[in-house]
């Protein structure tokens, strides 16, 4: 029993370290903003490969990133446009005298959090050759149907936002942990669906 606990602790610590490292790669790849979907996809593939015990590293991440970028640049432009719209909205809400400012601010943050959740789910589901329109459609359905998984990811997004507010450098490690959460949520949903099919 003690050996199993030590092994589980070692595996969990190794996964955490890999997520932290993945966060560094993710942030570097996402600096242009339009590359964010591709960076998330490559990061999720890297974490999933690590969990499966496959050989993975810097080279594999960047190979996946280049492939994902060729397939996702339109999605990247859409994400950049949505981010710009969010920033403009926040600038307006920051002005004094805006009617209903607290309610609009809450709605803005909620919509932004859900949008990031959909983006995370789409990135976690990516594989070479996948169409991003289909990925986003599937991610929307999963966000609606998998309420607990959506809650987990929303909580992760909120923690990331709080960390960025407190110390922006924390965005780097927390980004990798958030990708790890997206991979875990996707696998949990897949396992649940497989169990339901066996029960049927």
């Amino acid at each position: 029993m003690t050996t199993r606990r030590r092994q589980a602790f070692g595996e969990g610590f190794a996964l955490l370290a890999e997520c932290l490292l993945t966060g560094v790669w993710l942030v570097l790849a996402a600096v242009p903003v339009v590359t964010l979907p591709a960076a998330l996809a490559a990061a999720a593939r890297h974490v999933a490969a690590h969990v499966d015990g496959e050989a993975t590293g810097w080279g594999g991440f960047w190979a996946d990133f280049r492939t994902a970028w060729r397939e996702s640049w339109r999605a990247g432009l859409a994400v950049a446009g949505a981010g710009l719209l969010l920033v403009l909205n926040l600038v307006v809400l920051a002005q004094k005298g805006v009617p209903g400012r607290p309610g609009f601010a809450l709605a803005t943050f909620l919509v932004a959090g859900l949008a990031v959740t959909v983006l995370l789910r789409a990135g976690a589901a990516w594989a070479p050759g996948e169409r991003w329109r289909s990925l986003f459609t599937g991610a929307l359905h999963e966000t609606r149907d998998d309420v607990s998984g959506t809650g987990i990811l929303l909580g992760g997004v909120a923690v990331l936002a709080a960390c960025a507010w407190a110390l922006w450098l924390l965005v780097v490690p927390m980004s990798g942990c958030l990708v790890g959460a997206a991979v875990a949520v996707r696998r949990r949903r897949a396992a649940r669906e497989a169990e339901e099919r066996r029960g049927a």
Side-chain angles (χ1 to χ4, degrees):
M1 180 65 90
T2 303
T3 303
R4 289 179 182 176
R5 287 179 180 174
R6 288 177 178 173
Q7 183 178 6
F9 175 80
E11 291 175 354
F13 192 79
L15 177 58
L16 174 61
E18 201 65 33
C19 285
L20 297 179
L21 177 61
T22 302
V24 177
W25 298 348
L26 167 61
V27 170
L28 287 175
V31 166
V33 181
V34 293
T35 57
L36 179 57
L40 285 172
R45 288 264 293 180
H46 175 76
V47 172
H50 175 80
V51 172
D52 291 336
E54 300 175 6
T56 180
W58 171 273
F61 173 87
W62 288 106
D64 283 334
F65 172 75
R66 288 192 297 270
T67 301
W69 166 242
R70 288 195 295 268
E71 302 168 352
S72 70
W73 63 270
R74 292 183 182 86
L77 290 174
V79 168
L84 179 60
L85 183 62
L86 172 63
V87 170
L88 292 176
N89 197 22
L90 292 176
V91 169
V92 172
L93 290 173
Q95 307 301 315
K96 294 182 179 180
V98 177
R101 183 167 64 169
F104 281 117
L106 179 61
T108 297
F109 287 124
L110 181 59
V111 170
L114 288 172
V116 173
T117 298
V118 171
L119 181 59
L120 284 166
R121 287 184 181 272
W126 177 81
E130 291 279 358
R131 295 178 60 85
W132 279 87
R133 180 175 296 181
S134 300
L135 290 174
F136 280 119
T137 300
L140 281 169
H141 289 309
E142 291 177 5
T143 299
R144 180 193 62 196
D145 298 338
D146 182 15
V147 178
S148 60
T150 298
I152 291 171
L153 293 178
L154 274 176
V157 172
V159 171
L160 176 64
C163 290
W165 181 267
L167 181 60
W168 68 269
L169 281 175
L170 291 176
V171 170
V172 176
M174 285 304 303
S175 296
C177 292
L178 190 56
V179 169
V183 172
V185 165
R186 175 171 174 76
R187 293 194 170 205
R188 188 187 69 158
R189 177 179 171 84
R192 186 182 301 166
E193 290 176 348
E195 186 176 346
E196 289 175 355
R197 286 194 295 269
R198 286 196 298 269

